[in-house]
Protein backbone atom coordinates (compact mmCIF):
# COMPACT_ATOMS: atom_id res chain seq x y z
CA UNK A 1 0.00 0.00 0.00
CA UNK A 2 2.89 2.34 0.71
CA UNK A 3 4.48 4.28 -2.13
CA UNK A 4 8.25 4.25 -1.70
CA UNK A 5 10.67 5.95 -4.08
CA UNK A 6 14.28 7.02 -4.11
CA UNK A 7 14.99 9.50 -6.87
CA UNK A 8 17.30 12.32 -7.90
CA UNK A 9 14.51 14.47 -9.37
CA UNK A 10 12.20 16.70 -7.33
CA UNK A 11 8.73 15.58 -6.21
CA UNK A 12 5.37 17.31 -6.64
CA UNK A 13 3.55 17.33 -3.30
CA UNK A 14 0.10 18.03 -4.78
CA UNK A 15 0.50 15.25 -7.34
CA UNK A 16 1.58 12.80 -4.64
CA UNK A 17 -1.43 13.75 -2.47
CA UNK A 18 -3.70 13.21 -5.47
CA UNK A 19 -2.26 9.72 -6.05
CA UNK A 20 -2.75 8.91 -2.37
CA UNK A 21 -6.41 9.98 -2.25
CA UNK A 22 -7.49 8.60 -5.62
CA UNK A 23 -10.50 6.28 -5.11
CA UNK A 24 -10.07 6.45 -1.32
CA UNK A 25 -13.29 8.04 -0.04
CA UNK A 26 -12.55 6.93 3.54
CA UNK A 27 -9.57 9.28 3.86
CA UNK A 28 -10.30 12.22 6.14
CA UNK A 29 -6.84 13.72 6.42
CA UNK A 30 -3.26 13.54 5.21
CA UNK A 31 -0.25 14.26 7.41
CA UNK A 32 2.65 15.78 5.47
CA UNK A 33 6.31 16.37 6.22
CA UNK A 34 8.69 17.92 3.68
CA UNK A 35 12.37 18.04 4.54
CA UNK A 36 14.39 20.74 2.76
CA UNK A 37 18.05 21.76 2.49
CA UNK A 38 18.98 24.50 4.98
CA UNK A 39 21.18 27.29 3.68
CA UNK A 40 23.26 27.38 6.84
CA UNK A 41 24.83 24.82 9.15
CA UNK A 42 25.86 26.29 12.53
CA UNK A 43 26.01 29.73 10.85
CA UNK A 44 28.26 28.45 8.02
CA UNK A 45 26.83 29.07 4.59
CA UNK A 46 26.03 25.95 2.55
CA UNK A 47 26.63 25.84 -1.18
CA UNK A 48 25.18 22.35 -1.72
CA UNK A 49 24.40 19.04 -0.06
CA UNK A 50 25.08 15.60 -1.54
CA UNK A 51 23.06 12.57 -0.48
CA UNK A 52 24.51 9.08 -0.76
CA UNK A 53 22.64 5.86 0.00
CA UNK A 54 22.94 2.06 0.04
CA UNK A 55 20.60 1.20 -2.84
CA UNK A 56 19.64 -2.41 -2.11
CA UNK A 57 19.15 -1.74 1.60
CA UNK A 58 17.41 1.63 1.35
CA UNK A 59 14.17 0.46 -0.26
CA UNK A 60 14.04 -2.51 2.08
CA UNK A 61 14.54 -0.31 5.15
CA UNK A 62 11.93 2.21 3.95
CA UNK A 63 9.41 -0.58 3.26
CA UNK A 64 9.98 -1.97 6.76
CA UNK A 65 9.44 1.48 8.31
CA UNK A 66 6.21 1.96 6.32
CA UNK A 67 4.99 -1.51 7.30
CA UNK A 68 5.61 -0.71 10.97
CA UNK A 69 3.55 2.49 10.65
CA UNK A 70 0.74 0.64 8.85
CA UNK A 71 0.65 -1.96 11.63
CA UNK A 72 0.52 0.70 14.35
CA UNK A 73 -1.94 3.22 12.93
CA UNK A 74 -5.11 2.87 10.86
CA UNK A 75 -3.58 4.24 7.70
CA UNK A 76 -5.28 4.40 4.31
CA UNK A 77 -1.97 4.85 2.52
CA UNK A 78 1.42 6.44 2.97
CA UNK A 79 4.13 7.86 0.74
CA UNK A 80 7.88 8.03 1.37
CA UNK A 81 10.01 9.76 -1.27
CA UNK A 82 13.68 10.47 -0.62
CA UNK A 83 15.95 12.33 -3.01
CA UNK A 84 19.61 11.48 -3.64
CA UNK A 85 22.45 13.28 -5.39
CA UNK A 86 23.47 16.91 -5.11
CA UNK A 87 20.84 19.38 -3.84
CA UNK A 88 20.91 23.13 -3.29
CA UNK A 89 19.64 25.22 -0.34
CA UNK A 90 15.85 25.33 -0.45
CA UNK A 91 15.56 22.10 -2.44
CA UNK A 92 13.27 19.34 -1.25
CA UNK A 93 14.99 16.31 0.30
CA UNK A 94 12.24 14.06 1.60
CA UNK A 95 8.45 13.75 1.46
CA UNK A 96 6.37 11.84 4.00
CA UNK A 97 2.59 11.56 3.56
CA UNK A 98 0.31 9.50 5.79
CA UNK A 99 -3.42 9.28 5.08
CA UNK A 100 -6.08 8.19 7.56
CA UNK A 101 -9.75 8.64 8.38
CA UNK A 102 -8.86 11.05 11.19
CA UNK A 103 -6.10 13.55 11.84
CA UNK A 104 -4.48 12.06 14.93
CA UNK A 105 -3.40 8.85 13.22
CA UNK A 106 -2.28 10.78 10.13
CA UNK A 107 -0.20 13.27 12.13
CA UNK A 108 1.28 10.70 14.53
CA UNK A 109 2.19 8.33 11.69
CA UNK A 110 3.84 11.19 9.79
CA UNK A 111 5.99 12.04 12.83
CA UNK A 112 6.89 8.39 13.32
CA UNK A 113 7.78 7.88 9.66
CA UNK A 114 10.19 10.82 9.46
CA UNK A 115 11.75 10.06 12.87
CA UNK A 116 12.43 6.45 11.93
CA UNK A 117 13.51 7.36 8.40
CA UNK A 118 16.15 9.67 9.85
CA UNK A 119 17.58 6.98 12.12
CA UNK A 120 17.01 3.70 10.24
CA UNK A 121 17.26 4.29 6.48
CA UNK A 122 20.81 4.17 5.07
CA UNK A 123 21.28 7.69 3.69
CA UNK A 124 24.23 9.98 4.38
CA UNK A 125 24.53 13.72 3.77
CA UNK A 126 27.67 15.65 2.93
CA UNK A 127 27.66 19.44 3.06
CA UNK A 128 29.74 21.62 0.76
CA UNK A 129 30.30 25.03 2.35
CA UNK A 130 30.58 28.31 0.47
CA UNK A 131 34.29 28.49 1.39
CA UNK A 132 34.88 25.20 -0.48
CA UNK A 133 35.28 22.99 2.61
CA UNK A 134 33.10 19.90 2.90
CA UNK A 135 32.00 17.67 5.77
CA UNK A 136 29.78 14.65 6.36
CA UNK A 137 26.85 15.49 8.60
CA UNK A 138 27.10 13.62 11.89
CA UNK A 139 24.15 11.80 13.42
CA UNK A 140 22.85 13.62 16.48
CA UNK A 141 21.28 12.46 19.70
CA UNK A 142 18.18 14.62 19.17
CA UNK A 143 17.31 12.42 16.18
CA UNK A 144 17.91 9.27 18.25
CA UNK A 145 15.72 10.64 21.05
CA UNK A 146 12.99 11.62 18.59
CA UNK A 147 12.99 8.10 17.15
CA UNK A 148 13.06 6.50 20.61
CA UNK A 149 9.90 8.27 21.79
CA UNK A 150 7.87 5.98 19.49
CA UNK A 151 9.12 2.90 21.35
CA UNK A 152 7.24 3.85 24.52
CA UNK B 1 44.47 -9.83 -3.34
CA UNK B 2 46.94 -12.25 -1.82
CA UNK B 3 44.51 -14.48 0.06
CA UNK B 4 44.87 -18.20 -0.57
CA UNK B 5 41.32 -19.18 0.39
CA UNK B 6 39.08 -20.70 -2.26
CA UNK B 7 36.71 -18.39 -4.13
CA UNK B 8 33.76 -19.92 -2.26
CA UNK B 9 34.92 -18.10 0.88
CA UNK B 10 34.43 -14.68 -0.64
CA UNK B 11 32.63 -11.82 1.11
CA UNK B 12 31.23 -8.87 -0.83
CA UNK B 13 32.17 -5.77 1.16
CA UNK B 14 30.58 -2.34 0.72
CA UNK B 15 31.70 0.95 2.28
CA UNK B 16 29.72 4.19 2.39
CA UNK B 17 30.30 7.89 3.17
CA UNK B 18 33.57 8.59 5.02
CA UNK B 19 34.38 4.90 5.37
CA UNK B 20 34.44 4.69 1.57
CA UNK B 21 36.64 7.77 1.36
CA UNK B 22 39.12 6.53 3.97
CA UNK B 23 39.35 2.99 2.57
CA UNK B 24 39.56 4.33 -0.99
CA UNK B 25 36.92 2.08 -2.56
CA UNK B 26 33.19 1.58 -2.25
CA UNK B 27 33.13 -2.14 -2.95
CA UNK B 28 35.50 -5.08 -2.92
CA UNK B 29 35.44 -8.87 -2.71
CA UNK B 30 37.75 -10.37 -0.10
CA UNK B 31 38.32 -13.84 1.27
CA UNK B 32 39.29 -13.70 4.95
CA UNK B 33 40.50 -16.85 6.71
CA UNK B 34 37.84 -19.27 7.95
CA UNK B 35 38.22 -18.21 11.59
CA UNK B 36 36.72 -14.80 10.69
CA UNK B 37 33.12 -15.68 11.56
CA UNK B 38 31.72 -12.45 13.06
CA UNK B 39 31.48 -8.78 12.12
CA UNK B 40 33.93 -7.85 14.91
CA UNK B 41 36.48 -10.43 13.72
CA UNK B 42 36.11 -9.14 10.17
CA UNK B 43 36.87 -5.58 11.32
CA UNK B 44 39.96 -6.85 13.18
CA UNK B 45 41.11 -8.58 10.01
CA UNK B 46 40.41 -5.54 7.81
CA UNK B 47 42.27 -3.15 10.15
CA UNK B 48 45.41 -5.28 9.73
CA UNK B 49 45.24 -4.75 5.95
CA UNK B 50 46.47 -1.16 6.00
CA UNK B 51 46.23 2.47 7.10
CA UNK B 52 43.05 3.26 5.13
CA UNK B 53 41.19 0.54 7.03
CA UNK B 54 42.79 1.66 10.30
CA UNK B 55 41.51 5.20 9.69
CA UNK B 56 38.04 3.96 8.74
CA UNK B 57 37.68 1.79 11.85
CA UNK B 58 39.65 4.01 14.26
CA UNK B 59 36.53 4.65 16.35
CA UNK B 60 34.35 1.57 16.05
CA UNK B 61 31.49 3.13 17.98
CA UNK B 62 30.93 5.46 15.03
CA UNK B 63 30.72 2.58 12.53
CA UNK B 64 27.51 0.75 11.72
CA UNK B 65 27.24 -2.54 9.85
CA UNK B 66 24.64 -4.38 7.79
CA UNK B 67 24.84 -8.06 6.85
CA UNK B 68 22.78 -8.88 3.76
CA UNK B 69 21.00 -5.49 4.05
CA UNK B 70 19.94 -5.95 7.68
CA UNK B 71 21.51 -3.94 10.51
CA UNK B 72 24.04 -6.10 12.33
CA UNK B 73 25.96 -6.06 15.64
CA UNK B 74 29.66 -6.81 16.27
CA UNK B 75 28.76 -10.37 17.31
CA UNK B 76 26.59 -11.02 14.23
CA UNK B 77 27.74 -14.15 12.38
CA UNK B 78 28.99 -13.85 8.82
CA UNK B 79 29.29 -16.56 6.19
CA UNK B 80 30.85 -16.93 2.75
CA UNK B 81 28.81 -15.15 0.10
CA UNK B 82 27.41 -12.54 2.50
CA UNK B 83 27.12 -8.89 1.52
CA UNK B 84 28.59 -6.88 4.40
CA UNK B 85 28.32 -3.10 4.46
CA UNK B 86 30.09 -0.65 6.77
CA UNK B 87 28.91 2.94 7.15
CA UNK B 88 28.55 5.83 9.61
CA UNK B 89 25.34 6.35 11.60
CA UNK B 90 22.69 7.31 9.05
CA UNK B 91 21.79 10.98 8.45
CA UNK B 92 18.97 10.97 5.91
CA UNK B 93 15.55 12.57 6.12
Amino acid sequence: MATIRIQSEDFDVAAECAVLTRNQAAIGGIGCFIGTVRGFSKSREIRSMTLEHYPTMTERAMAAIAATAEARWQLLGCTLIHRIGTLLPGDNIVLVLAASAHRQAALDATGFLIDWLKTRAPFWKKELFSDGAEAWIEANTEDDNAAARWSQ
Amino acid sequence: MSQSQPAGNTLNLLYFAWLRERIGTGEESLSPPSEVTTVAALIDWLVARGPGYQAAFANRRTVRCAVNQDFAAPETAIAPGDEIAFFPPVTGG
Side-chain angles (χ1 to χ4, degrees):
Chain A
M1 186 161 64
T3 296
I4 290 164
R5 291 209 305 275
I6 298 143
Q7 61 189 42
S8 51
E9 64 269 25
D10 198 8
F11 46 78
D12 180 335
V13 180
E16 297 302 333
C17 285
V19 169
L20 197 57
T21 53
R22 189 177 298 152
N23 304 320
Q24 287 263 39
I27 291 177
I30 299 171
C32 174
F33 178 83
I34 304 163
T36 61
V37 180
R38 273 187 294 274
F40 290 87
S41 173
K42 293 173 186 152
S43 78
R44 266 178 106 177
E45 195 179 347
I46 304 274
R47 186 184 300 168
S48 67
M49 172 184 283
T50 299
L51 275 133
E52 175 176 333
H53 75 133
Y54 176 3
T56 51
M57 183 174 173
T58 319
E59 285 209 37
R60 192 168 152 172
M62 289 169 74
I65 293 165
T68 304
E70 287 172 337
R72 185 159 172 177
W73 289 278
Q74 296 263 315
L75 297 185
L76 294 164
C78 68
T79 300
L80 300 177
I81 301 176
H82 206 300
R83 295 181 68 191
I84 51 168
T86 298
L87 305 175
L88 302 175
D91 281 354
N92 293 327
I93 303 173
V94 62
L95 174 66
V96 174
L97 300 175
S100 187
H102 300 284
R103 73 182 179 284
Q104 203 60 55
L107 291 169
D108 287 351
T110 300
F112 166 87
L113 286 164
I114 187 59
D115 285 346
W116 271 36
L117 196 62
K118 285 185 85 79
T119 52
R120 297 185 184 224
F123 292 93
W124 302 276
K125 291 175 182 150
K126 189 180 205 176
E127 291 171 327
L128 174 64
F129 299 100
S130 55
D131 61 10
E134 52 183 30
W136 291 99
I137 292 182
E138 290 183 26
N140 65 58
T141 49
E142 287 85 5
D143 288 341
D144 290 336
N145 294 340
R149 73 195 162 108
W150 299 105
S151 303
Q152 287 148 22
Chain B
M1 301 306 131
S2 60
Q3 276 69 39
S4 56
Q5 280 68 38
N9 217 20
T10 300
L11 301 174
N12 187 28
L13 300 176
L14 302 174
Y15 312 110
F16 293 96
W18 50 257
L19 277 101
R20 171 177 50 73
E21 292 177 343
R22 291 179 190 177
I23 291 168
T25 184
E27 181 169 8
E28 61 186 345
S29 292
L30 296 177
S31 301
S34 56
E35 61 265 29
V36 175
T37 56
T38 64
V39 169
L42 175 62
I43 295 174
D44 290 339
W45 183 77
L46 287 170
V47 164
R49 287 174 59 83
Y53 296 92
Q54 284 171 25
F57 294 104
N59 183 354
R60 296 194 191 187
R61 284 185 301 175
T62 64
V63 176
R64 299 290 179 268
C65 178
V67 175
N68 298 325
Q69 296 99 45
D70 282 324
F71 282 104
E75 61 274 18
T76 299
I78 58 173
D82 282 351
E83 177 175 292
I84 300 169
F86 291 104
F87 43 80
V90 303
T91 57

